[in-house]
Amino acid sequence: MALIQREALDREDPQRRVPIAEAFWWAEEDHGLLGEVGSYNTPKDRHGEYRGGTIGASPAYSFTAHIADLSVDVETGVTTVHKVWVAHDCGQALSRRIVEGQMEGSVYMGFAEAIMEEHVVDPEHNGEHTGPSLLDYRMPTFLDTPDIEALIVEAPDAQGPYGAKEAGEGPLHPIIPAIANGIYDAVGVRIDRLPFSPPRVLAAIQAREAEVAAGHVQPHKTNARRAG
Amino acid sequence: MTARLLRFSVNGEPVTVAVEPQRTLLEVLRYELDLIGSKQGCDKGDCGACTVQIDGLPRLSCLTLALAVEGRDIQTVEGLGRAHGGCHPLQDAMDRWDAAQCGFCTPGILMSAESLLRRSPGPVTRSEVREALAGNLCRCTGYTKIIDAVVDASEQMAAPRDETEAAQ
Amino acid sequence: MLRLPRLDVLMPATLDEAVLALQSPGSRLIAGGTDLLPNLKHRLESPTMLVSLAGVRELSTITVDDDAQELVIGAGATLTTVEQCPQVRAHAPSLCSAAGLVASPLIRNQATLGGNVNLDTRCRYVNQTDFWRSAIGGCIKSEGTVCHVVPGGKNCVAAMSSDCVPVLISLGASLQLVGPNGRRRVAMKDYYVADGTRHTTREDGEVTTAVIVPLVSTPRRAGYSKWTVRGSIDFPLTSVALCFDLERDEVAAPIAGATVVVGVLGAKPRVVTRLDEVVGKSLSDPETAAIVAERVHRQCKPLANVPYEAPYRRQMLRVHTRRAIEALVADG
């Protein structure tokens, strides 16, 4: 039987079909409430020998790699991320679209931290939060978010439920260093503080240009190419 | 302040409701009419979760005085599937693409997206979707699956595919 | 959840009824409401009655007056309407650009041009909840007596943050106002004053009924540059409107007149002066862009009233001005 377009139909004879609601009605009449309960516990023997080390120790770790395609505007310090490829080893993917959605959402959140989001308290104004609303705490909109391509890598883990590892937080982390490395590749500056905001990136570019002018460092490849 | 009678239409049904003048349309929909699909997010126009259509245009119900919709036609997410036997093609597509995670932004996104599909018949491009939904924030999805779903729904509506065939 | 304070709402059907209603004490005009309602939810004003223009249909028309050679935009036209109107596109394309860059599509479907030219000034220490403001004791624009932007300052420097205002001033636009004493017209360059607590010369009982843009028969290139962090929703952090009248209809032609207006500084938009030096130069001459950018940079000093470092924004004014002129040249 297949459930398609709000109808339950016989796969052998697709002309035999009823509305889904009716199919569930019949099923509940025959079998009672349709439901299933399940749970998964992490293996007991996996934990660190330290205080708190026994809490939810994971039997396996996920692995992620990100590639960010970006450009840096050397006059404004604005970093524009065009596209991100995220490859994530989640073990066995139980629902591919949902795993992809977790990966894409993680890229979004990490990208947002890298480019614009920031919790700042202002010590000169009684520690007020400078971004207390969705206007002043800037989250990327549909127009700011890069294209994201999620690539699932399946390496099932025997200890995980149905072979799964995880696909929640793991795919977030590498996007920040990927963007930082992209900025370095583009303009030769290392930014080690979040976010990589335009004033911060521009200040680093200008500081590097001053170093180049003083003969302390070599021009970055981009600068060299432009000069040539 | 004394409550006043307000008459307007919600999802094609005429309603009459007594409202205090300082109430927003969102408050009347959620707390007087029990239409809790439209969400109260930032409550000041920064997130788009409260988006409804007023005379066919997507607007922010948190920044609309209830009394200002006297005689107007309001569409909320609850009425979206009415003409489609329960689910609008956009809702089906959001389901197929798993484009809702926590789901809080989904009703607002649907109301903005439906307006886009009505204004531009035929398949829409990803950049058209980005422009049309630029006032709706989503924290979970990274927007990717939402764009996929809206483009897919626009293609479905332009040339309906028979999913029964596809399933076999 | 942000609640509106208790108040009454009047829904007049005509302009005359609205003007009459505005004469009662404590009444306040509301059009689209996208600026006023957040401010009321933040308890920045305390009117007892809102007079809504939502039912006044006569304010929404856009017409070209051929006799007077004017484009007349009803103050009730939404920013979406202004952005998409073929007549506005034909006669004032830079206004279409600015209207289309305001906030988000949802706000533009609701906000009116009349509301946008009267947008209240904004400041990071003002446009917050009353709870947030109470931690710093408010300021001269809210409940307090001090300025958090300019220490020791007595004058409010909250920023004029409308995208359309700099463009309209650059096009020589004026406003039609109707009040209990009749009708008056004021040039937009004279409409704004350098006081963030009350930055326009509109009287309490007056309604902005139309924005009037003079038509020109001579060749012109005009543009608008907005920079902000996000591609949508945000108010501008730098805002520059440019208008060049040319001797011939090509970008290589000599400039006959130049107007540049900058917003998001203090409460009053700044009309950049001493642009005579570029008159007679070609618009496409790179020196023109350099000179105008230099004048903007020298005369405009952003303050810490909106997010992002003021020195950075000042530096960016130079870059964005130059790029806006380069974009006009590239468009041909």
Side-chain angles (χ1 to χ4, degrees):
Chain A
M1 192 180 74
L3 303 180
I4 289 164
Q5 283 190 330
R6 294 181 299 283
E7 284 190 310
L9 55 93
D10 186 338
R11 292 184 70 120
E12 306 293 314
D13 178 11
Q15 294 316 309
R16 289 185 65 208
R17 48 174 80 189
V18 292
I20 279 182
E22 209 167 313
F24 277 93
W25 195 312
W26 291 348
E28 288 190 347
E29 279 173 351
D30 290 350
H31 306 286
L33 182 68
L34 298 177
E36 193 61 75
V37 176
S39 65
Y40 168 78
N41 276 320
T42 53
K44 295 283 175 244
D45 59 343
R46 297 290 178 97
H47 55 81
E49 298 301 324
Y50 47 85
R51 188 177 158 87
T54 55
I55 297 171
S58 175
Y61 292 96
S62 64
F63 297 90
T64 315
H66 283 70
I67 298 174
D69 172 21
L70 59 83
S71 49
V72 180
D73 186 325
V74 293
E75 277 189 305
T76 63
V78 171
T79 302
T80 307
V81 181
H82 309 293
K83 181 159 182 176
V84 176
W85 290 262
V86 46
H88 180 70
D89 167 8
C90 62
Q92 174 80 45
L94 302 185
S95 163
R96 296 187 68 86
R97 284 235 162 107
I98 291 177
V99 171
E100 286 170 6
Q102 289 297 310
M103 292 160 67
E104 290 155 3
S106 295
V107 167
Y108 167 82
M109 218 173 271
F111 151 80
E113 276 184 69
I115 298 297
M116 60 181 77
E117 288 183 21
E118 192 174 20
H119 285 285
V120 180
V121 288
D122 179 354
E124 287 170 29
H125 291 92
N126 293 342
E128 290 262 61
H129 195 296
T130 63
S133 75
L134 286 177
L135 184 61
D136 290 319
Y137 185 85
R138 293 179 168 75
M139 276 166 50
T141 71
F142 267 94
L143 292 175
D144 307 300
T145 307
D147 286 332
I148 304 168
E149 191 165 328
L151 308 154
I152 296 174
V153 179
E154 282 182 301
D157 189 277
Q159 302 265 22
Y162 304 107
K165 291 171 182 168
E166 70 87 30
E169 295 177 5
L172 188 154
H173 305 131
I175 186 61
I176 296 171
I179 291 173
N181 286 342
I183 293 172
Y184 178 75
D185 185 53
V187 291
V189 299
R190 281 264 168 230
I191 316 284
D192 56 9
R193 227 188 112 187
L194 289 169
F196 312 138
S197 67
R200 208 168 266 161
V201 173
L202 184 63
I205 291 170
Q206 289 174 342
R208 192 177 197 287
E209 279 169 0
E211 292 279 288
V212 171
H216 296 152
V217 293
Q218 290 295 314
H220 187 63
K221 54 176 184 173
T222 315
N223 296 341
R225 196 157 59 223
R226 194 170 50 184
Chain B
M1 219 47 78
T2 335
R4 298 225 295 268
L5 276 189
L6 168 68
R7 293 176 191 81
F8 61 113
S9 138
V10 181
N11 301 323
E13 305 281 330
V15 294
T16 304
V17 56
V19 301
E20 291 184 304
Q22 74 273 16
R23 293 281 172 253
T24 62
L25 173 59
L26 178 64
E27 289 166 340
V28 169
L29 291 172
R30 288 182 62 84
Y31 307 125
E32 303 291 339
L33 302 174
D34 253 1
L35 295 169
I36 56 172
S38 310
K39 296 292 181 276
Q40 199 160 14
C42 70
D43 226 356
K44 64 188 190 73
D46 305 331
C47 76
C50 69
T51 305
V52 300
Q53 292 177 3
I54 303 181
D55 292 341
L57 266 190
R59 304 217 340 204
L60 296 160
S61 61
C62 75
L63 294 186
T64 303
L65 288 171
L67 290 178
V69 303
E70 174 79 34
R72 305 287 200 98
D73 172 43
I74 311 297
Q75 292 288 327
T76 70
V77 71
E78 286 89 348
L80 197 58
R82 196 158 289 188
H84 302 269
C87 263
H88 189 279
L90 269 169
Q91 291 168 305
D92 273 338
M94 295 282 281
D95 181 20
R96 277 199 304 279
W97 286 90
D98 279 310
Q101 288 186 24
C102 87
F104 195 84
C105 71
T106 309
I109 298 245
L110 285 168
M111 298 318 283
S112 286
E114 196 278 338
S115 165
L116 168 70
L117 299 195
R118 201 157 21 81
R119 275 179 287 135
S120 355
V124 294
T125 64
R126 298 182 79 83
S127 65
E128 284 172 323
V129 177
R130 286 185 187 272
E131 292 284 343
L133 299 184
N136 297 83
L137 291 178
C138 170
R139 189 54 163 169
C140 303
T141 61
Y143 302 115
T144 310
K145 291 280 182 276
I146 299 174
I147 302 172
D148 289 332
V150 177
V151 170
D152 186 7
S154 75
E155 289 167 355
Q156 284 273 351
M157 291 171 78
R161 284 195 297 267
D162 186 346
E163 289 194 34
T164 318
E165 298 295 316
Q168 294 168 34
Chain C
M1 185 180 296
L2 296 168
R3 289 240 189 255
L4 285 171
R6 284 181 175 272
L7 43 74
D8 202 0
V9 173
L10 267 191
M11 300 286 307
T14 67
L15 179 58
D16 290 344
E17 285 171 38
V19 171
L20 192 64
L22 279 175
Q23 291 186 56
S24 6
S27 62
R28 169 69 160 92
L29 197 62
I30 177 170
T34 53
D35 181 41
L36 180 64
L37 293 185
N39 288 352
L40 292 182
K41 289 181 174 191
H42 285 162
R43 302 296 185 268
L44 286 166
E45 289 185 50
S46 48
T48 51
M49 182 170 74
L50 296 181
V51 179
S52 169
L53 293 178
V56 183
R57 298 284 156 116
E58 64 196 277
L59 294 179
S60 311
T61 52
I62 300 177
T63 52
V64 172
D65 183 338
D66 285 320
D67 297 334
Q69 283 293 293
E70 288 169 347
L71 171 67
V72 182
I73 307 172
T78 65
L79 295 173
T80 300
T81 306
V82 171
E83 180 200 0
Q84 295 172 354
C85 174
Q87 287 160 313
V88 182
R89 194 158 291 280
H91 298 290
S94 57
L95 178 60
C96 290
S97 313
L101 287 170
V102 173
S104 72
L106 296 168
I107 300 233
R108 297 196 292 272
N109 281 346
Q110 190 153 344
T112 65
L113 185 60
N116 195 254
V117 299
N118 287 293
L119 181 82
D120 200 357
T121 54
R122 300 187 60 84
C123 178
R124 62 205 300 178
Y125 301 105
V126 175
N127 297 95
Q128 308 292 357
T129 60
D130 53 346
F131 176 73
W132 189 98
R133 291 195 310 272
S134 69
I136 52 168
C139 69
I140 45 185
K141 190 170 166 65
S142 58
E143 307 82 7
T145 52
V146 299
C147 177
H148 299 292
V149 175
V150 182
K154 292 276 173 274
N155 180 40
C156 174
V157 292
M160 196 297 299
S161 303
S162 158
D163 287 296
C164 297
V165 166
V167 167
L168 286 164
I169 294 175
S170 79
L171 299 177
S174 43
L175 297 179
Q176 180 84 55
L177 299 161
V178 173
N181 301 322
R183 194 170 282 265
R184 73 180 171 112
R185 194 162 158 166
V186 55
M188 283 186 69
K189 68 176 169 49
D190 303 323
Y191 185 62
Y192 301 93
V193 289
D195 175 1
T197 62
R198 189 174 184 125
H199 78 304
T200 74
T201 52
R202 186 172 63 89
E203 302 288 338
D204 281 339
E206 283 185 315
V207 179
T208 306
T209 57
V211 176
I212 299 153
V213 183
L215 303 185
V216 286
S217 48
T218 51
R220 170 177 275 186
R221 295 292 183 278
Y224 176 62
S225 159
K226 168 181 184 167
W227 177 73
T228 187
V229 180
R230 296 187 291 184
S232 180
I233 301 176
D234 287 348
F235 285 94
L237 296 176
T238 69
S239 165
V240 184
L242 309 105
C243 179
F244 296 95
D245 287 312
L246 304 178
E247 289 183 10
R248 293 187 313 276
D249 196 15
E250 53 173 333
V251 290
I255 295 168
T259 314
V260 176
V261 186
V262 180
V264 212
L265 301 169
K268 187 180 173 179
R270 177 173 285 272
V271 179
V272 176
T273 59
R274 302 191 51 232
L275 291 173
D276 325 350
E277 206 180 317
V278 298
V279 172
K281 277 195 192 314
S282 159
L283 179 61
S284 56
D285 180 347
E287 210 189 330
T288 299
I291 293 169
V292 176
E294 188 52 39
R295 290 276 179 277
V296 168
H297 181 255
R298 193 169 295 178
Q299 295 175 28
C300 300
K301 299 181 179 68
L303 299 164
N305 47 7
V306 298
Y308 273 74
E309 294 87 335
Y312 174 78
R313 289 167 47 229
R314 186 172 181 203
Q315 230 180 319
M316 286 309 102
L317 278 174
R318 189 207 307 254
V319 175
H320 291 306
T321 302
R322 195 200 74 226
R323 288 184 177 180
I325 297 173
E326 288 168 354
L328 289 177
V329 171
D331 285 347

